[in-house]
Amino acid sequence: MATALVTGASAGIGKTFATQLAQRGHDLVLVARTEARLQELRTQLEERYSVSVEVLPADLSDRLDIQLVADRLSDAARPVDLLVNNAGYGLKKPFLRNEIRDEEEMLTVLVRAVAVLSHAAALAMRERGRGAIVNVSSVAGFMASGTYSAAKSYVTVFTEGLASELRGSGVTATALCPGFTHTEFHDRAGIKGNGGLPDFMWLQADPLVKECLDDVDRGKVISIPSPQYKVAATALRVLPRPIVRMGKLTRRHRPQ
C-alpha cells in the first residue's frame, strides 16, 4: 500500500486530495498548522476507508517546521510514495500595501517550502526508483499579479525543471495549475461569492483533484483542469506581455 504526504491537508484542495487518495487505498501523512482539524480528518478517513493516517502538525512559514516535514519525507524506514505540496494562501492587498514581513512569510510557504520538500522527496524517491510529486501551482502563474502570481510562476517552472531532471528515474513531477476553485482559500483572501466572475469560471475541488491524479498516473508534467482554463492558460502564454499586464483580471483576482 502506497503512502502519500499532503501539505495543507485540513481544508480545501488539500483535504480533497487526502480524501481521494484514501479512496484509492493510500495511507496518508497529513500536514497542516491546526492539529485538531487534522485529527478530525484522520478519524474520518481511517473509519471510512480503512487506511492508516499519520498527523504531522507543521507551520510551513517556519523553517524548523519545514525541516521537520522534509525529515519525514527522507525517512527510508517509512517511505512516502507521493508528495502533494498544496499548502498556500494569498494576501488581499497589493504588494506595496502589505508589510514586507507578510510578503516574506507568504513566499516561505509558497516557494521555499515547495523547494525544500520537493528536494527531500525527490532524492528519497529516486533512490527507490519510484514515486511522484505534485506541486499545486495556479493559472495565476501565467498572469502578472503581484507576489502570489510570481510565486506560482516559480512553482510551475520549477516543477518542469524537476520533471526533466527526474526523467528515466521512475519518479514524476506534476504542476497542478487550477483556476478559481470554490474553497476556503478565497474566503481567507477576502473574495466573497463569485468575485464578479461568471459561474462557469469556478471549479469544484472534487473533479479538479481527480483530473490531476489521472494526469499524475499518465506522467503529465503540467495539469490544467477543465477546458476553460486550458484555453485561458494557452491564451495567457501567447498574448503579448503588455496585454497580460493590463488585464483587469490580474488586478482583481488571484486564482487557486
Side-chain angles (χ1 to χ4, degrees):
M1 185 176 290
T3 298
L5 187 150
V6 183
T7 70
S10 62
I13 291 175
K15 184 176 181 180
T16 305
F17 265 110
T19 301
Q20 291 197 19
L21 288 166
Q23 288 173 340
R24 292 180 173 214
H26 286 66
D27 289 335
L28 294 166
V29 182
L30 304 180
V31 178
R33 291 181 300 176
T34 308
E35 183 172 3
R37 295 182 72 172
L38 290 177
Q39 293 290 1
E40 181 181 356
L41 180 58
R42 173 186 185 175
T43 299
Q44 293 172 0
L45 297 178
E46 286 185 335
E47 291 180 351
R48 185 172 300 174
Y49 302 111
S50 299
V51 295
S52 175
V53 179
E54 175 186 344
V55 165
L56 183 57
D59 180 351
L60 296 184
S61 67
D62 184 291
R63 285 174 175 249
L64 293 178
D65 280 10
I66 293 174
Q67 190 58 49
L68 178 70
V69 181
D71 291 343
R72 176 63 183 86
L73 289 163
S74 300
D75 188 346
R78 298 179 296 164
V80 172
D81 306 281
L82 170 63
L83 166 64
V84 180
N85 271 317
N86 166 76
Y89 63 96
L91 298 173
K92 184 178 180 180
K93 293 182 288 186
F95 174 69
L96 293 178
R97 291 174 57 194
N98 287 323
E99 297 292 333
I100 192 60
R101 180 176 178 177
D102 294 335
E103 291 280 340
E104 289 179 306
E105 188 172 277
M106 183 178 70
L107 285 171
T108 299
V109 176
L110 297 183
V111 174
R112 187 177 189 279
V114 169
V116 172
L117 300 186
S118 294
H119 189 267
L123 287 176
M125 292 174 182
R126 188 174 64 178
E127 181 70 21
R128 297 192 301 271
R130 67 182 187 280
I133 296 168
V134 176
N135 291 327
V136 178
S137 186
S138 174
V139 170
F142 304 122
M143 299 178 181
S145 186
T147 309
Y148 181 84
S149 177
K152 291 303 186 180
S153 178
Y154 168 86
V155 171
T156 300
V157 176
F158 164 74
T159 306
E160 289 184 284
L162 180 60
S164 296
E165 191 170 346
L166 290 169
R167 186 179 295 119
S169 69
V171 184
T172 64
T174 300
L176 169 61
C177 299
F180 296 94
T181 306
H182 283 296
T183 68
E184 295 177 13
F185 175 90
H186 287 88
D187 292 337
R188 294 197 300 270
I191 301 173
K192 302 300 181 182
N194 278 4
L197 288 173
D199 288 345
F200 77 90
M201 292 301 290
W202 284 89
L203 306 178
Q204 299 299 323
D206 281 328
L208 180 158
V209 168
K210 181 183 183 303
E211 184 170 344
C212 176
L213 291 175
D214 289 343
D215 284 344
V216 171
D217 290 342
R218 290 190 285 264
K220 197 167 184 180
V221 176
I222 297 180
S223 175
I224 303 175
S226 80
Q228 60 268 41
Y229 281 108
K230 286 181 172 66
V231 171
T234 299
L236 287 166
R237 284 181 285 188
V238 300
L239 283 171
R241 294 307 291 176
I243 294 177
V244 174
R245 291 193 294 270
M246 288 172 56
K248 292 181 180 179
L249 184 67
T250 66
R251 295 198 298 270
R252 293 176 54 197
H253 304 290
R254 293 182 178 91
Q256 163 83 352

